[in-house]
Amino acid sequence: LGVMEQEELEPNAITFSAAISACEKCDEWESALHLFGMMAQRRIECNTITCSAVASACQKGNQWEKVLQILSLMTCSNLEANTITFSTAISACEKASQLEKAFELFRGMVRDTVESNTITFSGLVSACERAGEQEKALQLFSAMASENWKNLIASLPRSAL
């Protein structure tokens, strides 16, 4: 970004997203957050791709609360979280042993009709395992295999998580 400014080129959402993604690949979550903050200072609108990249960098840095803050910011900014963003947040919760939050996020995906994928379910199954809920992990895995997962998720009381 510094080189762009020396050449009198204005960074935009695309160049910031690329720089944030580079930070994520180098496990530099703090730098990714710094760049994200610079976007706000310069009044450059972020998009789902940018937010997903920042969330991924924070997830890799074991910063699950920051990932949830980014997801919340997206909601406040009327940006739609996608499968990647939600799966990243679920994985962050899994790593932090936040089973209830992981399922809360998944319920949000279902409510918002965001498509889930193998990464989403892997995060949920791992979160169950990490929380010592092997039976729930097996139920989820079986439901996923039979494509009956929505019924299973709906049937699990919040207190059971």
Side-chain angles (χ1 to χ4, degrees):
L1 294 176
V3 172
M4 286 186 72
E5 290 172 344
Q6 288 174 354
E7 296 295 322
E8 297 182 13
L9 298 171
E10 274 300 309
N12 58 24
I14 294 169
T15 54
F16 269 102
S17 292
I20 289 167
S21 290
C23 292
E24 180 245 336
K25 286 175 180 46
C26 296
D27 296 323
E28 293 286 337
W29 66 269
E30 290 168 314
S31 296
L33 279 176
H34 176 74
L35 289 170
F36 193 59
M38 284 178 63
M39 285 182 73
Q41 288 173 349
R42 294 176 182 213
R43 301 187 194 285
I44 297 172
E45 284 191 37
C46 61
N47 56 35
T48 301
I49 294 168
T50 306
C51 291
S52 293
V54 175
S56 184
C58 290
Q59 182 263 338
K60 285 185 176 182
N62 297 315
Q63 301 297 312
W64 70 276
E65 290 171 314
K66 295 206 183 302
V67 175
L68 296 183
Q69 288 171 356
I70 292 162
L71 203 55
S72 178
L73 174 73
M74 290 178 75
T75 302
C76 292
S77 301
N78 292 321
L79 292 173
E80 289 188 25
N82 60 18
T83 304
I84 295 168
T85 314
F86 272 110
S87 295
T88 297
I90 288 169
S91 292
C93 289
E94 175 264 318
K95 285 182 178 181
S97 299
Q98 297 292 320
L99 179 62
E100 190 168 332
K101 280 285 185 197
F103 272 94
E104 185 181 312
L105 288 164
F106 186 71
R107 284 189 186 94
M109 283 182 81
V110 173
R111 180 194 65 235
D112 296 345
T113 63
V114 176
E115 191 173 322
S116 55
N117 62 17
T118 306
I119 296 168
T120 310
F121 283 106
S122 294
L124 290 170
V125 169
S126 293
C128 289
E129 179 189 17
R130 194 176 286 257
E133 299 287 347
Q134 283 77 10
E135 188 173 316
K136 283 187 188 76
L138 290 173
Q139 286 177 332
L140 184 59
F141 183 77
S142 295
M144 180 181 71
S146 69
E147 296 185 15
N148 192 26
W149 54 267
K150 286 185 183 178
N151 293 334
L152 173 68
I153 298 299
S155 72
L156 288 174
R158 291 182 195 273
S159 61
L161 299 174

